[in-house]
Amino acid sequence: MSAPHMNPDEFRRAGHAVVDWIADYWATVEQRPVAPSDPPGTVAAALPSTPPTTGGEPVEAVLADLDSIVVPGLTHWQHPGFFGYFPANTSGPSVLGDLVSSGLGVQGMLWATSPACTELETVMMDWLAHLLDLPQRFRSTGSGGGVIQDSASSATLVATLAALHRASGGRWRDTGIDRRYRAYTSTHGHSSIEKAVRIAGLGSDGVRSIEVDPDTQALLPDALRAAIEADLAAGDVPAIVVATIGTTSTTAIDPLPEIGAICAEYGIWLHVDAAYAGSAAVCPELRWSHAGLEYADSYCFDPHKWLLTGFDCDAFWVADRAELIEALTVLPEFLRNAASDSGAVIDYRDWQVPLGRRFRALKLWFVLRWYGAEGLRAHIRSGVALAAQFAERIRADDRFELSAAHPFSLVCFRLRADDDVNAALLARVNGTGRVHLTHTRVAGRYTLRMAIGSPQTTEAHVDEAWTLLANTAKDLLTP
Ligand SMILES: *Cc1c(COP(=O)(O)O)cnc(C)c1O
């Protein structure tokens, strides 16, 4: 028997049904509970334990099971009442660009394995650098350049590896390192930094967690300098500082001008992680958050968080692409080709950990052409304005307090009550299924996070969240 491939006509018919299904999902997602409440194992128990022997199931049968088994077990990240973590936007143009990428099924590991995949990506990264007004040194027209990584975590890992290559004078790559190399980030630096440092072979002890200002949660430059001096005195080698624009906990902004000057003084690689807040820089009035970026050796943000481009899409730039490529290049015979040998092309496999790579630039291209700079700015501005309105409600109600500044679209707040009461508040409002918020700790205290940014969220949804919070607070605080 020959394999029953889906022919183009069958694909066309099934594909239309799937696109209709997604459009219906978006049109009705608001009516669903934001997050499921079934116990663990519910979805798995509803699925057969073995795969089908004969195929031929129509796509309608799969869609029916999507509706009855999968969708009830989803947390709906595109729901207008989704306020958890950070947003993970997607959009129509993003999905369509990704669909084209799936349909083409090309591997973009080398320029030669699909030239358009590489060249569109280089241009998209220059477009994004232009949109965010990033320093010239990151553009492909100079010594730098950008590449799409799957995640900010990978960007941090790759930056760490390049930094170790530099700090060890090439030993990290060639012989392995024999001394203790150190990475520095604030106590609010993302967990992916410790993971990167562990993968790089430095061990968790290789990370120096630098104290933050208790009011702003931003890294204290004097504490950074002191940690570097102490390590140098002990014979260790400071390799990389990871500064954050928009920390995950509270969107604190580390003082890049001071941190950058310290890195320059000691010759330490500066990586700037703006995973969530980088998108804000499409708006000129929010670019103050990126002051000092000209010091950075590398920078990344996630269009897949707040810039309407579906996961996965992390935009990562380096100021000196030669260092990165030197650190990561490995050239087996089966990949040798004239274009690579000529040095005239970019081979993105040398800019990342895996060899293979998807054609992710397509979804960016679709998104940027659909929205344009003004459309993207409108999306960011709506989130920032809604967050400001929500913060105003908190400020105006004596029972509540703001726990941190809200420069972007995240508001951190708490009831003026014990941690238990705040945890109960979160559980109760989430229990309604109308909204989904998450929490953090600020200065040790349980704090609620309201992260606005789903494309469907409007003032009415933020008002509803506030009403739920205020009414629940009344219940909780009434003895
Ligand atoms: C979300 C986040 C990350 C991790 O992002 P991924 O792309 O999921 O790896 C890293 N750093 C910061 C500051 C974040 O907010």
Side-chain angles (χ1 to χ4, degrees):
M1 177 190 156
S2 61
H5 299 302
M6 189 181 265
N7 69 38
D9 282 332
E10 289 167 331
F11 175 77
R12 193 186 315 279
R13 200 192 57 75
H16 286 157
V18 170
V19 169
D20 282 343
W21 186 91
I22 296 172
D24 288 342
Y25 171 75
W26 285 339
T28 57
V29 66
E30 179 168 8
Q31 298 156 23
R32 303 175 189 278
V34 190
S37 50
D38 290 329
T42 305
V43 176
L47 296 166
S49 53
T50 55
T53 304
T54 54
E57 281 203 76
V59 75
E60 283 73 17
V62 182
L63 291 178
D65 285 349
L66 260 182
D67 282 325
S68 64
I69 301 172
V70 174
V71 173
L74 292 177
T75 298
H76 300 285
W77 285 68
Q78 309 308 314
H79 193 294
F82 183 89
F83 301 117
Y85 312 100
F86 279 135
N89 286 177
T90 190
S91 65
S94 172
V95 170
L96 295 177
D98 228 2
L99 187 58
V100 174
S101 171
S102 297
L104 295 175
V106 304
Q107 271 290 348
M109 50 203 173
L110 304 173
W111 177 87
T113 60
S114 214
C117 180
T118 294
E119 293 188 17
L120 186 68
E121 182 160 333
T122 305
V123 173
M124 287 308 100
M125 295 302 293
D126 281 341
W127 278 17
L128 279 181
H130 177 83
L131 266 178
L132 271 62
D133 196 27
L134 299 183
Q136 285 297 330
R137 59 202 301 236
F138 291 136
R139 317 284 169 102
S140 71
T141 42
S143 58
V147 58
I148 302 176
Q149 304 278 343
D150 55 2
S151 63
S153 305
S154 291
T156 300
L157 173 59
V158 164
T160 302
L161 301 179
L164 283 171
H165 179 66
R166 179 204 275 181
S168 66
R171 280 190 298 282
W172 168 80
R173 187 191 71 183
D174 299 333
T175 59
I177 41 183
D178 49 0
R179 294 176 63 192
R180 287 179 303 184
Y181 289 79
R182 301 297 189 194
Y184 306 79
T185 191
S186 89
T187 52
H188 285 255
H190 192 264
S191 54
S192 55
I193 300 162
E194 179 179 336
K195 203 187 250 186
V197 166
R198 273 158 50 182
I199 294 170
L202 309 188
S204 296
D205 291 349
V207 182
R208 297 295 194 223
S209 282
I210 308 300
E211 223 184 301
V212 295
D213 180 310
D215 293 327
T216 62
Q217 290 88 44
L219 181 144
L220 288 168
D222 288 345
L224 174 64
R225 179 184 293 280
I228 291 168
E229 289 285 351
D231 283 339
L232 285 170
D236 297 344
V237 186
I240 183 170
V241 173
V242 182
T244 310
I245 301 175
T247 58
T248 316
S249 185
T250 66
T251 63
I253 301 164
D254 290 338
L256 286 190
E258 287 87 346
I259 295 170
I262 293 171
C263 289
E265 184 181 332
Y266 292 95
I268 304 172
W269 186 289
L270 174 60
H271 175 62
V272 175
D273 175 5
Y276 155 76
S279 296
V282 300
C283 298
E285 73 275 19
L286 293 169
R287 287 191 192 139
W288 56 265
S289 59
H290 283 54
L293 191 59
E294 61 278 5
Y295 284 108
D297 293 287
S298 54
Y299 167 82
C300 81
F301 86 103
D302 284 345
H304 69 228
K305 278 186 171 161
W306 199 13
L307 212 61
L308 300 159
T309 308
F311 191 84
D312 51 354
C313 186
D314 171 84
F316 172 69
W317 287 267
V318 284
D320 180 356
R321 60 180 178 267
E323 283 180 309
L324 173 67
I325 293 168
E326 240 181 68
L328 296 185
T329 192
V330 192
L331 185 58
E333 184 57 33
F334 54 81
L335 293 178
R336 288 203 86 104
N337 66 89
S340 296
D341 288 344
S342 77
V345 300
I346 290 176
D347 290 329
Y348 278 127
R349 70 183 180 113
D350 294 334
W351 298 52
Q352 62 175 21
V353 173
L355 171 61
R357 55 203 326 274
R358 303 198 301 121
F359 197 167
R360 281 179 294 225
L362 277 171
K363 60 188 170 192
L364 267 176
W365 195 37
F366 274 56
V367 165
L368 296 176
R369 293 182 67 172
W370 178 268
Y371 286 97
E374 282 307 331
L376 297 174
R377 288 179 189 135
H379 173 61
I380 298 296
R381 284 175 182 145
S382 106
V384 173
L386 290 174
Q389 283 173 26
F390 180 80
E392 208 35 64
R393 307 271 206 171
I394 299 287
R395 217 177 266 119
D397 189 320
D398 288 342
R399 299 168 300 174
F400 287 90
E401 64 188 3
L402 291 171
S403 311
H406 52 92
F408 307 111
S409 71
L410 171 73
V411 182
C412 294
F413 65 99
R414 61 195 315 278
L415 274 172
R416 295 179 199 272
D418 290 346
D419 285 355
D420 292 353
V421 180
N422 278 286
L425 174 65
L426 179 68
R428 285 212 205 169
V429 296
N430 285 353
T432 64
R434 295 295 305 161
V435 296
H436 190 76
L437 284 72
T438 53
H439 82 281
T440 184
R441 278 186 188 274
V442 179
R445 310 187 72 184
Y446 193 98
T447 300
L448 282 72
R449 293 170 78 266
M450 172 96 174
I452 298 168
S454 162
Q456 292 197 28
T457 302
T458 65
E459 191 170 345
H461 301 106
V462 175
D463 284 346
E464 183 183 357
W466 167 250
T467 305
L468 281 171
L469 286 160
N471 290 343
T472 309
K474 186 157 60 179
D475 291 348
L476 286 169
L477 297 176
T478 307

PDB file of all heavy atoms in Angstrom, residues 54-77:
ATOM      1  N   THR A  54      -5.151   2.370  10.989  1.00  0.00           N
ATOM      2  CA  THR A  54      -5.443   2.872   9.651  1.00  0.00           C
ATOM      3  C   THR A  54      -5.812   4.339   9.804  1.00  0.00           C
ATOM      4  O   THR A  54      -6.426   4.740  10.789  1.00  0.00           O
ATOM      5  CB  THR A  54      -6.626   2.120   9.029  1.00  0.00           C
ATOM      6  OG1 THR A  54      -7.738   2.191   9.924  1.00  0.00           O
ATOM      7  CG2 THR A  54      -6.261   0.666   8.768  1.00  0.00           C
ATOM      8  N   GLY A  55      -5.430   5.136   8.820  1.00  0.00           N
ATOM      9  CA  GLY A  55      -5.725   6.566   8.883  1.00  0.00           C
ATOM     10  C   GLY A  55      -7.052   6.854   8.217  1.00  0.00           C
ATOM     11  O   GLY A  55      -8.028   6.137   8.412  1.00  0.00           O
ATOM     12  N   GLY A  56      -7.066   7.933   7.472  1.00  0.00           N
ATOM     13  CA  GLY A  56      -8.264   8.264   6.711  1.00  0.00           C
ATOM     14  C   GLY A  56      -9.308   9.006   7.515  1.00  0.00           C
ATOM     15  O   GLY A  56     -10.421   9.231   7.041  1.00  0.00           O
ATOM     16  N   GLU A  57      -8.980   9.404   8.742  1.00  0.00           N
ATOM     17  CA  GLU A  57      -9.965  10.187   9.502  1.00  0.00           C
ATOM     18  C   GLU A  57     -10.085  11.577   8.901  1.00  0.00           C
ATOM     19  O   GLU A  57      -9.080  12.240   8.667  1.00  0.00           O
ATOM     20  CB  GLU A  57      -9.509  10.320  10.959  1.00  0.00           C
ATOM     21  CG  GLU A  57      -9.779   9.094  11.775  1.00  0.00           C
ATOM     22  CD  GLU A  57      -9.847   9.440  13.266  1.00  0.00           C
ATOM     23  OE1 GLU A  57     -10.872  10.004  13.689  1.00  0.00           O
ATOM     24  OE2 GLU A  57      -8.862   9.172  13.959  1.00  0.00           O
ATOM     25  N   PRO A  58     -11.295  12.038   8.663  1.00  0.00           N
ATOM     26  CA  PRO A  58     -11.452  13.379   8.097  1.00  0.00           C
ATOM     27  C   PRO A  58     -11.052  14.442   9.110  1.00  0.00           C
ATOM     28  O   PRO A  58     -11.123  14.220  10.323  1.00  0.00           O
ATOM     29  CB  PRO A  58     -12.950  13.467   7.786  1.00  0.00           C
ATOM     30  CG  PRO A  58     -13.597  12.468   8.685  1.00  0.00           C
ATOM     31  CD  PRO A  58     -12.584  11.386   8.919  1.00  0.00           C
ATOM     32  N   VAL A  59     -10.615  15.587   8.616  1.00  0.00           N
ATOM     33  CA  VAL A  59     -10.185  16.658   9.497  1.00  0.00           C
ATOM     34  C   VAL A  59     -11.336  17.101  10.397  1.00  0.00           C
ATOM     35  O   VAL A  59     -11.116  17.539  11.534  1.00  0.00           O
ATOM     36  CB  VAL A  59      -9.586  17.828   8.685  1.00  0.00           C
ATOM     37  CG1 VAL A  59     -10.653  18.640   7.980  1.00  0.00           C
ATOM     38  CG2 VAL A  59      -8.741  18.719   9.566  1.00  0.00           C
ATOM     39  N   GLU A  60     -12.570  16.931   9.930  1.00  0.00           N
ATOM     40  CA  GLU A  60     -13.730  17.287  10.768  1.00  0.00           C
ATOM     41  C   GLU A  60     -13.751  16.471  12.063  1.00  0.00           C
ATOM     42  O   GLU A  60     -14.145  16.979  13.118  1.00  0.00           O
ATOM     43  CB  GLU A  60     -15.050  17.077  10.012  1.00  0.00           C
ATOM     44  CG  GLU A  60     -15.382  18.159   9.000  1.00  0.00           C
ATOM     45  CD  GLU A  60     -14.529  18.108   7.729  1.00  0.00           C
ATOM     46  OE1 GLU A  60     -13.886  17.054   7.474  1.00  0.00           O
ATOM     47  OE2 GLU A  60     -14.484  19.124   7.009  1.00  0.00           O
ATOM     48  N   ALA A  61     -13.335  15.212  11.977  1.00  0.00           N
ATOM     49  CA  ALA A  61     -13.328  14.370  13.180  1.00  0.00           C
ATOM     50  C   ALA A  61     -12.288  14.886  14.170  1.00  0.00           C
ATOM     51  O   ALA A  61     -12.507  14.894  15.389  1.00  0.00           O
ATOM     52  CB  ALA A  61     -13.038  12.919  12.802  1.00  0.00           C
ATOM     53  N   VAL A  62     -11.157  15.325  13.627  1.00  0.00           N
ATOM     54  CA  VAL A  62     -10.114  15.859  14.507  1.00  0.00           C
ATOM     55  C   VAL A  62     -10.590  17.170  15.139  1.00  0.00           C
ATOM     56  O   VAL A  62     -10.401  17.411  16.340  1.00  0.00           O
ATOM     57  CB  VAL A  62      -8.792  16.063  13.736  1.00  0.00           C
ATOM     58  CG1 VAL A  62      -7.701  16.566  14.666  1.00  0.00           C
ATOM     59  CG2 VAL A  62      -8.367  14.763  13.050  1.00  0.00           C
ATOM     60  N   LEU A  63     -11.233  18.013  14.324  1.00  0.00           N
ATOM     61  CA  LEU A  63     -11.736  19.291  14.853  1.00  0.00           C
ATOM     62  C   LEU A  63     -12.785  19.055  15.937  1.00  0.00           C
ATOM     63  O   LEU A  63     -12.835  19.787  16.937  1.00  0.00           O
ATOM     64  CB  LEU A  63     -12.328  20.146  13.725  1.00  0.00           C
ATOM     65  CG  LEU A  63     -11.319  20.696  12.704  1.00  0.00           C
ATOM     66  CD1 LEU A  63     -12.036  21.483  11.606  1.00  0.00           C
ATOM     67  CD2 LEU A  63     -10.272  21.567  13.380  1.00  0.00           C
ATOM     68  N   ALA A  64     -13.620  18.027  15.755  1.00  0.00           N
ATOM     69  CA  ALA A  64     -14.638  17.727  16.774  1.00  0.00           C
ATOM     70  C   ALA A  64     -13.971  17.362  18.098  1.00  0.00           C
ATOM     71  O   ALA A  64     -14.422  17.780  19.174  1.00  0.00           O
ATOM     72  CB  ALA A  64     -15.545  16.598  16.285  1.00  0.00           C
ATOM     73  N   ASP A  65     -12.889  16.580  18.027  1.00  0.00           N
ATOM     74  CA  ASP A  65     -12.171  16.221  19.261  1.00  0.00           C
ATOM     75  C   ASP A  65     -11.420  17.418  19.839  1.00  0.00           C
ATOM     76  O   ASP A  65     -11.248  17.526  21.066  1.00  0.00           O
ATOM     77  CB  ASP A  65     -11.208  15.062  19.002  1.00  0.00           C
ATOM     78  CG  ASP A  65     -11.959  13.732  18.869  1.00  0.00           C
ATOM     79  OD1 ASP A  65     -13.168  13.707  19.188  1.00  0.00           O
ATOM     80  OD2 ASP A  65     -11.328  12.742  18.450  1.00  0.00           O
ATOM     81  N   LEU A  66     -10.960  18.311  18.952  1.00  0.00           N
ATOM     82  CA  LEU A  66     -10.354  19.553  19.454  1.00  0.00           C
ATOM     83  C   LEU A  66     -11.369  20.282  20.330  1.00  0.00           C
ATOM     84  O   LEU A  66     -11.053  20.722  21.443  1.00  0.00           O
ATOM     85  CB  LEU A  66      -9.998  20.472  18.282  1.00  0.00           C
ATOM     86  CG  LEU A  66      -8.575  20.559  17.760  1.00  0.00           C
ATOM     87  CD1 LEU A  66      -8.518  21.577  16.633  1.00  0.00           C
ATOM     88  CD2 LEU A  66      -7.603  20.946  18.859  1.00  0.00           C
ATOM     89  N   ASP A  67     -12.597  20.384  19.814  1.00  0.00           N
ATOM     90  CA  ASP A  67     -13.649  21.084  20.560  1.00  0.00           C
ATOM     91  C   ASP A  67     -14.000  20.377  21.861  1.00  0.00           C
ATOM     92  O   ASP A  67     -14.188  21.022  22.889  1.00  0.00           O
ATOM     93  CB  ASP A  67     -14.921  21.185  19.697  1.00  0.00           C
ATOM     94  CG  ASP A  67     -14.811  22.285  18.647  1.00  0.00           C
ATOM     95  OD1 ASP A  67     -14.192  23.324  18.944  1.00  0.00           O
ATOM     96  OD2 ASP A  67     -15.335  22.093  17.536  1.00  0.00           O
ATOM     97  N   SER A  68     -14.089  19.055  21.812  1.00  0.00           N
ATOM     98  CA  SER A  68     -14.618  18.364  22.996  1.00  0.00           C
ATOM     99  C   SER A  68     -13.521  18.001  24.004  1.00  0.00           C
ATOM    100  O   SER A  68     -13.788  17.917  25.195  1.00  0.00           O
ATOM    101  CB  SER A  68     -15.397  17.113  22.574  1.00  0.00           C
ATOM    102  OG  SER A  68     -14.521  16.204  21.945  1.00  0.00           O
ATOM    103  N   ILE A  69     -12.298  17.784  23.546  1.00  0.00           N
ATOM    104  CA  ILE A  69     -11.246  17.310  24.467  1.00  0.00           C
ATOM    105  C   ILE A  69     -10.192  18.384  24.752  1.00  0.00           C
ATOM    106  O   ILE A  69      -9.841  18.632  25.901  1.00  0.00           O
ATOM    107  CB  ILE A  69     -10.534  16.059  23.874  1.00  0.00           C
ATOM    108  CG1 ILE A  69     -11.551  14.933  23.648  1.00  0.00           C
ATOM    109  CG2 ILE A  69      -9.420  15.599  24.800  1.00  0.00           C
ATOM    110  CD1 ILE A  69     -10.978  13.736  22.895  1.00  0.00           C
ATOM    111  N   VAL A  70      -9.706  19.016  23.682  1.00  0.00           N
ATOM    112  CA  VAL A  70      -8.540  19.893  23.859  1.00  0.00           C
ATOM    113  C   VAL A  70      -8.934  21.278  24.373  1.00  0.00           C
ATOM    114  O   VAL A  70      -8.374  21.762  25.366  1.00  0.00           O
ATOM    115  CB  VAL A  70      -7.741  20.007  22.535  1.00  0.00           C
ATOM    116  CG1 VAL A  70      -6.609  21.020  22.668  1.00  0.00           C
ATOM    117  CG2 VAL A  70      -7.187  18.637  22.138  1.00  0.00           C
ATOM    118  N   VAL A  71      -9.894  21.905  23.692  1.00  0.00           N
ATOM    119  CA  VAL A  71     -10.219  23.293  24.056  1.00  0.00           C
ATOM    120  C   VAL A  71     -10.639  23.424  25.528  1.00  0.00           C
ATOM    121  O   VAL A  71     -10.210  24.377  26.200  1.00  0.00           O
ATOM    122  CB  VAL A  71     -11.265  23.886  23.084  1.00  0.00           C
ATOM    123  CG1 VAL A  71     -11.734  25.253  23.561  1.00  0.00           C
ATOM    124  CG2 VAL A  71     -10.661  23.996  21.686  1.00  0.00           C
ATOM    125  N   PRO A  72     -11.431  22.492  26.066  1.00  0.00           N
ATOM    126  CA  PRO A  72     -11.789  22.631  27.494  1.00  0.00           C
ATOM    127  C   PRO A  72     -10.577  22.534  28.432  1.00  0.00           C
ATOM    128  O   PRO A  72     -10.665  22.938  29.582  1.00  0.00           O
ATOM    129  CB  PRO A  72     -12.750  21.451  27.740  1.00  0.00           C
ATOM    130  CG  PRO A  72     -13.278  21.096  26.388  1.00  0.00           C
ATOM    131  CD  PRO A  72     -12.151  21.361  25.435  1.00  0.00           C
ATOM    132  N   GLY A  73      -9.474  22.005  27.930  1.00  0.00           N
ATOM    133  CA  GLY A  73      -8.272  21.886  28.766  1.00  0.00           C
ATOM    134  C   GLY A  73      -7.255  22.981  28.496  1.00  0.00           C
ATOM    135  O   GLY A  73      -6.103  22.867  28.905  1.00  0.00           O
ATOM    136  N   LEU A  74      -7.673  24.031  27.803  1.00  0.00           N
ATOM    137  CA  LEU A  74      -6.744  25.111  27.481  1.00  0.00           C
ATOM    138  C   LEU A  74      -6.862  26.280  28.448  1.00  0.00           C
ATOM    139  O   LEU A  74      -7.957  26.593  28.930  1.00  0.00           O
ATOM    140  CB  LEU A  74      -7.044  25.666  26.082  1.00  0.00           C
ATOM    141  CG  LEU A  74      -6.770  24.783  24.874  1.00  0.00           C
ATOM    142  CD1 LEU A  74      -7.213  25.511  23.611  1.00  0.00           C
ATOM    143  CD2 LEU A  74      -5.297  24.426  24.800  1.00  0.00           C
ATOM    144  N   THR A  75      -5.716  26.930  28.677  1.00  0.00           N
ATOM    145  CA  THR A  75      -5.731  28.297  29.194  1.00  0.00           C
ATOM    146  C   THR A  75      -5.710  29.182  27.955  1.00  0.00           C
ATOM    147  O   THR A  75      -4.860  29.010  27.088  1.00  0.00           O
ATOM    148  CB  THR A  75      -4.483  28.558  30.060  1.00  0.00           C
ATOM    149  OG1 THR A  75      -4.529  27.666  31.165  1.00  0.00           O
ATOM    150  CG2 THR A  75      -4.459  30.003  30.549  1.00  0.00           C
ATOM    151  N   HIS A  76      -6.663  30.089  27.861  1.00  0.00           N
ATOM    152  CA  HIS A  76      -6.832  30.850  26.621  1.00  0.00           C
ATOM    153  C   HIS A  76      -6.024  32.141  26.664  1.00  0.00           C
ATOM    154  O   HIS A  76      -6.487  33.171  27.142  1.00  0.00           O
ATOM    155  CB  HIS A  76      -8.316  31.129  26.379  1.00  0.00           C
ATOM    156  CG  HIS A  76      -9.114  29.874  26.266  1.00  0.00           C
ATOM    157  ND1 HIS A  76      -9.090  29.068  25.143  1.00  0.00           N
ATOM    158  CD2 HIS A  76      -9.913  29.236  27.154  1.00  0.00           C
ATOM    159  CE1 HIS A  76      -9.857  28.011  25.337  1.00  0.00           C
ATOM    160  NE2 HIS A  76     -10.362  28.067  26.550  1.00  0.00           N
ATOM    161  N   TRP A  77      -4.822  32.055  26.150  1.00  0.00           N
ATOM    162  CA  TRP A  77      -3.894  33.187  26.211  1.00  0.00           C
ATOM    163  C   TRP A  77      -4.355  34.362  25.363  1.00  0.00           C
ATOM    164  O   TRP A  77      -3.908  35.489  25.588  1.00  0.00           O
ATOM    165  CB  TRP A  77      -2.494  32.729  25.787  1.00  0.00           C
ATOM    166  CG  TRP A  77      -1.807  31.923  26.845  1.00  0.00           C
ATOM    167  CD1 TRP A  77      -2.145  30.670  27.294  1.00  0.00           C
ATOM    168  CD2 TRP A  77      -0.662  32.314  27.618  1.00  0.00           C
ATOM    169  NE1 TRP A  77      -1.286  30.262  28.277  1.00  0.00           N
ATOM    170  CE2 TRP A  77      -0.356  31.252  28.489  1.00  0.00           C
ATOM    171  CE3 TRP A  77       0.145  33.456  27.641  1.00  0.00           C
ATOM    172  CZ2 TRP A  77       0.716  31.300  29.391  1.00  0.00           C
ATOM    173  CZ3 TRP A  77       1.212  33.504  28.539  1.00  0.00           C
ATOM    174  CH2 TRP A  77       1.489  32.433  29.398  1.00  0.00           C
TER     175      TRP A  77
END
